[in-house]
Amino acid sequence: MDGPPASDAYSRPSVRAMTWNVCGEAGRATPGTGAYCPDRNDPQAKAAAVGEAVRAGDLNAVMLQEVCSGPFLSGLNSGSGGPSQLDRIAAELGPEWSFRWAEVWRPATAAFPQGSSYCRAGLTGTLSVAIGVKGRIDWQRIRTMPVPVDAGQSRTQALCVGAAGWESHLCTAHVADFDAAARQGRMTQAEADGLHADQIGVIEEMAAGLPPVVVGGDFNTRLRAKLQPLYECDERSYFPGDTAAEPTHFSPATASTAPATGAVTDSRYGTARLDYLFSTEAFTGCDSWTEKADQADCTAAAQPSCSNIATPPVCTPTGTSDHVPVYGSTQGGPGLDWRMNGTASGGSLGLTGTLSSGASWSTEHGGALELDGVSGTVTAPGPVVDTRRSFTVSAWAKTDPEAGISAVLAQDGTVISGAMLWYNAPDRTWRFGMPRADGPDRNVDQVISRTQAVPGVWTRLTGVHDAVASTITLYVDGTPVGTVAHTATWAANGPFVVGRDLVKGRANAFRDGQVQNVETYDPPMTAAQALSHSRTLTAPTARAAQPSAAGAGCQALGGYGTVSSRTPTLTVHVAHPDPSKQVRAEFGLWDNTGPARPQPVALGTFGSASGKVAGRGTVSLTVPTLIDGHSYGRLARTADGTTSSAISSNCHFRAAAP
């Protein structure tokens, strides 16, 4: 595995995923009845709704349940053979997306003793669960859920996929529910709970081998304790006013149709929380889009023409499914990732800073930005962080001994900076502050370091704003030095500046000293993450971990790719929290075909170490000659000659003669 979340979760790209039971055709077609599915027979409506949710959340992964996938099934599908729902979703999202799906079988009948899976009512394809990613899926694993054929419930499959270049895997499932059978006396509650636990066990087993992983689906339970979550999406608020743990399923409270007229007589809906999203990494934001579940009032008073006798029923829904999409973003890499070693660029925001006069490059400490204390700055068009919400800012800084009050970085407002990190010369303290308003009065909530800053010494500074807790915290070299309340939030929409702040509308506190490794993050770092970020070696990542330049065949779990060389080059990305330190990778390589053979490369032995880089970068090692046709496993760790990181994820590949 790639090490504990506290040591490297902040370094991975974010997975922005949604899980949604779209009730593609499995629900009922009659309004006012339980499990009514709006747009049940309209594949394009389903596709448009998924597309809207993906664009609204800028998602790069979707997990779908009760969706029609695959080709027209002659003799089973009664329609004209048009595109399936998943085909239309793929077209809606565009060619950058790829999909995999796994079959779902309905309860057994005399005609279908193992259960049917074809999509009915003129729809094309097979009832399924599916996963889509904005990228190329290059690995999948499917396991059938342990649901007895004669249990009266659908048998689904758990589906996991991996995508090229992604470290995170994705898994989804639709868990069968047996509580109704227990209530009706067809089995005991203990038997029902056991069948549910068996299914959850399959998902846990599949996900356990895939760190990091995001798991989502319709788990058909109100009881969170059954799910054994790591990090659960939407279990808490992520911004002020956000409602946590919202319901994800809406169903008419009673089957309330007047027999003579077909009119719906009860407007109430029952709610439940059945759909979940989990991750081995923390979420930076989560929500449930409850408006996407149908909650229409179908009574005659609200919709006089609504009648279930009509074909189709002439009732207007308010949503596209009886379930709610749940979506969230895992903790990913920095928005700004400016190494300041000759360039002010990098990070997911794609922003490049502009140097002013008085700013120059230095070779000190692995490369740094030198500022003259008079006019030197680096500026990015803003805003970079939203000062109304949670964020983290971090930088290495060294202050010249003669410096006065000296800002490291700031997110400007119109009149004053909305967030600022600085050195306060009169008492030689580091400070992180956020003003209570964008006005001329310097009314700043600020954290002050308890021990004096030492001019001339490189120091790692991290400022955290937790908008939900209404606090700001300062960390110095990974150690928390204080937390204060900050309850008056406002949007500082100006530029992001390294080397000064803004007070009374004027540039202020120009920095006299050096700055390096400026980073910003959307989530508020925890104390463990801030400590790790400042002091802990990061496990090698697989972003460049393929066993050949062509990127062929690196699989973390199951299956083998093939490399067209018997002396492949193993490549990983390594990082050290101190940008001035030399860091390398140590590799381990073993023969899975002939496990009794001596290990060609072993961690910590002669010949296992790659070349070195300063701070972070890509390193590689060309291995001894392998055996044609044999399969191999590879792992790595980061080392600086004194300490080592956690072990990376495995890479499996097969050697082939050129």
Side-chain angles (χ1 to χ4, degrees):
M1 62 185 290
D2 277 347
S7 70
D8 62 1
Y10 57 81
S11 68
R12 294 196 186 102
S14 174
V15 176
R16 302 180 303 279
M18 172 181 73
T19 182
W20 195 5
N21 181 332
V22 296
C23 71
E25 69 93 48
R28 294 187 175 92
T30 307
T33 60
Y36 164 59
C37 178
D39 301 319
R40 184 177 185 269
N41 301 325
D42 188 343
Q44 189 54 48
K46 300 290 184 186
V50 172
E52 181 187 7
V54 167
R55 289 186 289 272
D58 188 26
L59 306 179
N60 57 15
V62 295
M63 291 170 272
L64 306 172
Q65 302 84 46
E66 292 186 12
V67 61
C68 290
S69 306
F72 178 77
L73 303 175
S74 179
L76 293 174
N77 294 145
S78 59
S80 60
S84 70
Q85 290 169 349
L86 194 61
D87 291 334
R88 292 178 184 268
I89 290 169
E92 179 80 20
L93 299 185
E96 292 180 288
W97 286 73
S98 60
F99 292 83
R100 298 289 177 90
W101 56 273
E103 192 170 6
V104 173
W105 298 274
R106 300 182 188 86
T109 63
F112 295 93
Q114 298 301 313
S116 64
S117 62
Y118 65 93
C119 285
R120 304 165 294 190
L123 297 173
T124 291
T126 298
L127 192 62
S128 67
V129 297
I131 296 176
V133 303
K134 194 174 184 180
R136 176 174 59 85
I137 294 175
D138 62 359
W139 175 87
Q140 74 172 32
R141 172 168 289 179
I142 298 174
R143 281 190 57 184
T144 302
M145 289 294 208
V147 175
V149 173
D150 59 354
Q153 281 286 330
S154 293
R155 287 181 301 130
T156 185
Q157 298 189 92
L159 169 67
C160 295
V161 306
W166 289 36
E167 289 193 69
S168 294
H169 291 71
L170 299 143
C171 297
T172 193
H174 187 175
V175 175
D177 175 33
F178 294 92
D179 285 348
R183 289 194 301 270
Q184 295 164 5
R186 292 185 283 116
M187 64 176 64
T188 66
Q189 187 62 54
E191 290 171 330
D193 290 345
L195 288 170
H196 190 277
D198 289 345
Q199 296 173 84
I200 297 297
V202 168
I203 301 169
E204 289 179 330
E205 181 181 337
M206 293 181 74
L210 295 171
V213 65
V214 177
V215 181
D218 180 351
F219 293 103
N220 257 319
T221 182
R222 301 168 188 259
L223 303 177
R224 293 174 58 249
K226 292 183 179 181
L227 300 175
Q228 303 297 317
L230 293 171
Y231 291 101
E232 181 184 337
C233 190
D234 206 30
E235 68 174 336
R236 67 172 181 84
S237 299
Y238 289 85
F239 54 89
D242 177 33
T243 301
E246 294 177 281
T248 67
H249 183 252
F250 290 78
S251 183
T254 59
S256 56
T257 304
T261 63
V264 176
T265 59
D266 193 333
S267 63
R268 294 174 299 170
Y269 281 80
T271 63
R273 192 173 179 214
L274 306 179
D275 305 80
Y276 296 85
L277 196 62
F278 298 102
S279 174
T280 48
E281 297 177 320
F283 287 97
T284 65
C286 286
D287 207 357
S288 300
W289 197 347
T290 56
E291 293 80 5
K292 284 296 178 183
D294 178 42
Q295 301 161 61
D297 183 348
C298 293
T299 62
Q303 298 193 56
S305 61
C306 179
S307 169
N308 288 329
I309 293 177
T311 305
V314 285
C315 307
T316 302
T318 62
T320 312
S321 175
D322 56 340
H323 286 259
V324 169
V326 180
Y327 55 95
S329 300
T330 64
Q331 184 166 298
L336 285 191
D337 186 11
W338 291 355
R339 298 182 68 174
M340 295 298 196
N341 60 350
T343 179
S345 63
S348 62
L349 295 175
L351 297 176
T352 298
T354 301
L355 274 69
S356 72
S357 62
S360 60
W361 301 116
S362 163
T363 59
E364 187 178 341
H365 207 242
L369 175 71
E370 181 80 43
L371 299 167
D372 65 358
V374 178
S375 61
T377 60
V378 176
T379 303
V384 169
V385 296
D386 186 343
T387 51
R388 299 167 301 179
R389 299 198 175 199
S390 298
F391 64 85
T392 299
V393 292
S394 186
W396 281 86
K398 189 184 82 167
T399 302
D400 290 347
E402 67 277 9
I405 297 175
S406 183
V408 177
L409 56 83
Q411 171 60 60
D412 283 353
T414 302
V415 180
I416 193 169
S417 295
M420 52 191 92
L421 185 62
W422 77 97
Y423 168 71
N424 194 65
D427 59 1
R428 290 192 173 184
T429 57
W430 294 110
R431 300 191 179 196
F432 176 55
M434 297 183 69
R436 298 173 188 173
D438 190 13
D441 296 330
R442 202 173 187 279
N443 192 359
V444 180
D445 296 322
Q446 57 183 288
V447 184
I448 304 171
S449 62
R450 291 186 291 267
T451 57
Q452 285 192 330
V454 181
V457 174
W458 281 101
T459 306
R460 178 60 133 175
L461 304 169
T462 303
V464 175
H465 174 224
D466 188 329
V468 175
S470 297
T471 60
I472 57 175
T473 302
L474 174 63
Y475 298 87
V476 177
D477 288 328
T479 300
V481 298
T483 298
V484 301
H486 178 64
T487 58
T489 60
W490 53 278
N493 290 324
F496 182 90
V497 184
V498 176
R500 65 130 179 96
D501 59 22
L502 186 72
V503 176
K504 296 183 178 179
R506 296 189 299 270
N508 178 71
F510 280 95
R511 178 153 190 77
D512 188 358
Q514 295 180 310
V515 180
Q516 188 180 55
N517 277 31
V518 174
E519 298 168 336
T520 66
Y521 299 87
D522 286 339
M525 275 192 188
T526 64
Q529 288 169 336
L531 178 64
S532 174
H533 188 229
S534 297
R535 303 185 188 181
T536 304
L537 286 176
T538 300
T541 63
R543 288 193 294 272
Q546 311 299 345
S548 72
C554 190
Q555 297 289 359
L557 185 72
Y560 293 86
T562 300
V563 295
S564 57
S565 171
R566 287 186 291 169
T567 56
T569 297
L570 308 180
T571 305
V572 293
H573 186 273
V574 293
H576 197 289
D578 185 336
S580 68
K581 298 295 186 182
Q582 293 289 309
V583 63
R584 65 175 183 262
E586 293 178 346
F587 289 92
L589 180 70
W590 62 94
D591 190 327
N592 283 323
T593 303
R597 294 179 178 275
Q599 195 169 349
V601 177
L603 287 173
T605 62
F606 178 77
S608 72
S610 70
K612 297 179 180 179
V613 292
R616 54 179 155 144
T618 298
V619 296
S620 61
L621 177 74
T622 300
V623 303
T625 302
L626 304 180
I627 301 172
D628 182 25
H630 277 220
S631 57
Y632 292 87
R634 188 276 296 143
L635 50 75
R637 68 186 180 193
T638 305
D640 63 3
T642 303
T643 58
S644 300
S645 74
I647 301 298
S648 72
S649 58
N650 290 334
C651 167
H652 295 149
F653 62 96
R654 188 171 287 113

